[in-house]
Amino acid sequence: MTRDVSPIRAAGRDAVDRNERHEALMAEALRVARMAEGRGEVPIGALVVLRDRIVSRAGNATLGRKDPTAHAEVMALRRAARRLENHRLTGATLVVTLEPCVMCLGAMVQARISRCLYGAADPKVGATRLLSLPALRTGLNHRFEIVGGILSESCAAILREFFRQRRAGR
């Protein structure tokens, strides 16, 4: 016997399933962020996901590499491009624990990702709001969906604790 599911109910279930998938991916990005923290890096983690498979994972590596461009997002995009043997990551989703900066947004545009999911907002250098500026909306050759606030409290908490300990001299 088949059950009749109304389109509205089905759409609601799809939204719940999507939110659960987003949260599961962000939980994995948080695990990667903790690994970066274990190396003494700012605890930010990123994943590149394509067709429901994690293609790459990376944490911040700016301190260890002495490289200002070694943000988690850039590192994850680089690894995905190498693994897929293509600098274009069309259809991919980038998942990151902290709202991306301008540099990382530029890398996402160049990679032609389809979506960015982020956890905690970054009121100082978070740049996703820039993509809504009219000049950028019409000037960019590629746009992608941005969804923020996924497990935001957990993503913010790991950063607050890291910087609290750093200020305390540990």
Coordinates of all heavy atoms in Angstrom, one line a residue, residues 44 46 58-62 67-78 100-101 103-104 125:
I44 N 39.4 26.5 12.4 CA 38.5 26.6 11.3 C 38.6 25.4 10.4 O 39.8 25.1 10.1 CB 38.7 27.9 10.5 CG1 38.5 29.1 11.5 CG2 37.7 28.0 9.4 CD1 38.9 30.5 10.9
A46 N 37.1 23.2 6.9 CA 36.3 23.3 5.7 C 36.3 21.9 4.9 O 37.2 21.1 5.1 CB 36.9 24.4 4.8
A58 N 40.0 20.3 5.0 CA 41.2 21.1 5.4 C 40.9 22.0 6.6 O 39.8 22.5 6.7 CB 41.7 21.9 4.2
G59 N 41.9 22.2 7.4 CA 41.8 23.1 8.5 C 42.7 24.3 8.2 O 43.5 24.2 7.2
N60 N 42.6 25.4 8.9 CA 43.5 26.5 8.8 C 44.9 26.0 8.9 O 45.2 25.1 9.7 CB 43.2 27.5 9.9 CG 42.5 28.7 9.3 OD1 41.8 28.7 8.3 ND2 42.6 29.8 10.0
A61 N 45.8 26.6 8.1 CA 47.2 26.2 8.1 C 48.1 27.5 7.9 O 49.3 27.3 7.6 CB 47.5 25.2 7.0
T62 N 47.6 28.6 8.2 CA 48.3 29.9 8.0 C 49.6 30.0 8.9 O 50.6 30.5 8.5 CB 47.4 31.1 8.3 OG1 46.9 31.1 9.6 CG2 46.3 31.2 7.3
D67 N 51.8 31.1 5.8 CA 51.2 31.5 4.5 C 49.9 32.2 4.8 O 48.9 31.5 5.2 CB 51.0 30.2 3.7 CG 50.3 30.4 2.3 OD1 49.9 31.6 2.0 OD2 50.2 29.4 1.6
P68 N 49.7 33.4 4.5 CA 48.5 34.1 4.8 C 47.3 33.7 3.9 O 46.2 34.0 4.2 CB 48.8 35.6 4.5 CG 50.0 35.6 3.5 CD 50.7 34.3 3.9
T69 N 47.6 32.9 2.9 CA 46.5 32.4 2.0 C 46.0 31.0 2.4 O 45.1 30.5 1.8 CB 46.9 32.4 0.5 OG1 47.9 31.4 0.3 CG2 47.3 33.8 0.1
A70 N 46.7 30.4 3.4 CA 46.4 29.0 3.8 C 45.1 28.9 4.7 O 45.1 28.2 5.7 CB 47.6 28.4 4.4
H71 N 44.1 29.6 4.3 CA 42.8 29.5 5.1 C 42.2 28.2 4.8 O 42.5 27.6 3.7 CB 41.8 30.6 4.6 CG 42.2 32.0 5.1 ND1 41.3 33.0 5.1 CD2 43.4 32.5 5.5 CE1 41.9 34.1 5.5 NE2 43.2 33.8 5.8
A72 N 41.4 27.7 5.7 CA 40.8 26.3 5.5 C 40.0 26.2 4.2 O 40.2 25.2 3.5 CB 39.8 26.1 6.7
E73 N 39.3 27.3 3.8 CA 38.5 27.2 2.5 C 39.5 27.0 1.3 O 39.2 26.2 0.5 CB 37.7 28.5 2.3 CG 36.7 28.8 3.4 CD 37.3 29.7 4.5 OE1 38.4 29.5 5.0 OE2 36.6 30.7 4.8
V74 N 40.5 27.8 1.3 CA 41.5 27.8 0.1 C 42.1 26.4 0.1 O 42.3 25.8 -1.0 CB 42.5 28.9 0.2 CG1 43.6 28.8 -0.8 CG2 41.8 30.3 0.1
M75 N 42.6 25.9 1.3 CA 43.2 24.6 1.3 C 42.3 23.5 0.8 O 42.7 22.6 0.1 CB 43.7 24.3 2.7 CG 44.7 25.4 3.3 SD 46.2 25.5 2.3 CE 46.9 23.9 2.7
A76 N 41.0 23.6 1.3 CA 40.0 22.5 0.8 C 39.8 22.6 -0.7 O 39.7 21.6 -1.3 CB 38.7 22.7 1.6
L77 N 39.7 23.9 -1.2 CA 39.5 24.0 -2.6 C 40.7 23.5 -3.4 O 40.5 22.8 -4.4 CB 39.2 25.5 -3.0 CG 37.9 26.1 -2.5 CD1 37.9 27.6 -2.7 CD2 36.7 25.4 -3.2
R78 N 41.9 23.8 -2.9 CA 43.1 23.3 -3.6 C 43.1 21.8 -3.7 O 43.4 21.2 -4.7 CB 44.3 23.8 -2.9 CG 44.6 25.3 -3.1 CD 45.8 25.7 -2.3 NE 46.1 27.1 -2.4 CZ 46.8 27.8 -1.6 NH1 47.4 27.3 -0.5 NH2 47.0 29.1 -1.8
P100 N 33.2 33.1 5.4 CA 34.4 33.3 4.6 C 34.8 34.8 4.5 O 33.9 35.7 4.5 CB 34.1 32.8 3.2 CG 33.0 31.8 3.5 CD 32.2 32.4 4.6
C101 N 36.1 35.1 4.3 CA 36.6 36.4 4.1 C 36.5 36.7 2.6 O 36.2 35.9 1.8 CB 38.0 36.6 4.6 SG 39.2 35.6 3.6
M103 N 39.0 37.1 0.4 CA 39.9 36.2 -0.3 C 39.3 34.9 -0.6 O 39.3 34.4 -1.7 CB 41.2 36.0 0.4 CG 42.2 35.1 -0.3 SD 43.7 34.7 0.7 CE 43.0 33.7 2.1
C104 N 38.7 34.3 0.4 CA 38.1 33.0 0.3 C 36.9 33.0 -0.7 O 36.6 32.1 -1.5 CB 37.7 32.4 1.6 SG 39.2 32.0 2.6
V125 N 35.5 40.3 9.6 CA 36.0 40.2 8.2 C 35.1 39.2 7.3 O 35.5 39.0 6.2 CB 37.4 39.7 8.1 CG1 38.4 40.7 8.7 CG2 37.6 38.4 8.8

